[in-house]
Amino acid sequence: MDARLTGGFLEQAMGIERGDAKIIKNAGNNVLNRDVIRSVAAAIFSLGAEEVMLVGHLDCGMANTDTKKLKNAMEERGIATEEIAKLNLKEWIGAIDSEESNVVEGVKKLKNSPYIPDDVPIHGLIINPITGSIDVLLNGYK
């Protein structure tokens, strides 16, 4: 979701050409709910994806989110305090504690999903949004 990764930056860093990949983006690259797993399953079963790469990035805005600031910003923009109170803001916004651990946990969630086949490699990567360098945290072939 980070604006620094748009305009082909991510694709170029990964060596992906137009039409090579189905890209799903969300805040904090979180595998929090059924929508992400559903989208990955759709890519596999309906669109022919053969492997999955979960890519996080350094300096993620969702890392160490200040929920008090978030609550204040929401209230300032007219979101009712009663509605905010219904939420666990950290969980709802997709705040993460660490970019690397978030990638590792996301890969685990995908691998443990009953809707993702065991024969689909799931890789965990992290990209530097300034330099474009990519580190492999988890090799899905192993």
Side-chain angles (χ1 to χ4, degrees):
M1 188 171 129
D2 192 302
R4 295 172 292 178
L5 303 177
T6 61
F9 182 82
L10 175 65
E11 294 84 350
Q12 184 177 12
M14 295 183 71
I16 297 171
E17 298 292 328
R18 184 176 181 189
D20 285 348
K22 286 80 172 131
I23 298 176
I24 304 163
K25 293 185 176 187
N26 69 5
N29 78 30
N30 273 302
V31 182
L32 287 175
N33 59 35
R34 70 178 196 95
D35 288 338
V36 172
I37 292 173
R38 177 183 52 83
S39 295
V40 172
I44 293 167
F45 298 117
S46 297
L47 304 173
E50 297 175 1
E51 57 189 288
V52 175
M53 291 179 239
L54 181 64
V55 184
H57 67 86
L58 300 176
D59 191 31
C60 180
M62 292 295 101
N64 303 306
T65 298
D66 184 331
T67 55
K68 287 181 183 179
K69 285 184 182 178
L70 176 62
K71 179 181 181 285
N72 290 340
M74 291 173 76
E75 289 174 340
E76 287 172 10
R77 297 292 299 269
I79 306 300
T81 304
E82 305 82 54
E83 293 302 317
I84 298 170
K86 295 176 184 177
L87 303 171
N88 173 331
L89 281 179
K90 183 175 181 177
E91 184 178 300
W92 180 80
I93 201 69
I96 61 175
D97 294 323
S98 151
E99 294 91 340
E100 292 89 349
S101 65
N102 187 57
V103 169
V104 170
E105 288 304 310
V107 168
K108 285 181 188 175
K109 288 178 185 176
L110 288 169
K111 284 186 174 196
N112 291 326
S113 170
Y115 307 109
I116 306 300
D118 291 338
D119 64 345
V120 174
I122 303 173
H123 311 283
L125 311 170
I126 195 139
I127 185 170
N128 181 316
I130 306 301
T131 67
S133 66
I134 297 175
D135 292 321
V136 178
L137 301 178
L138 295 170
N139 182 335
Y141 297 125
K142 293 182 179 179

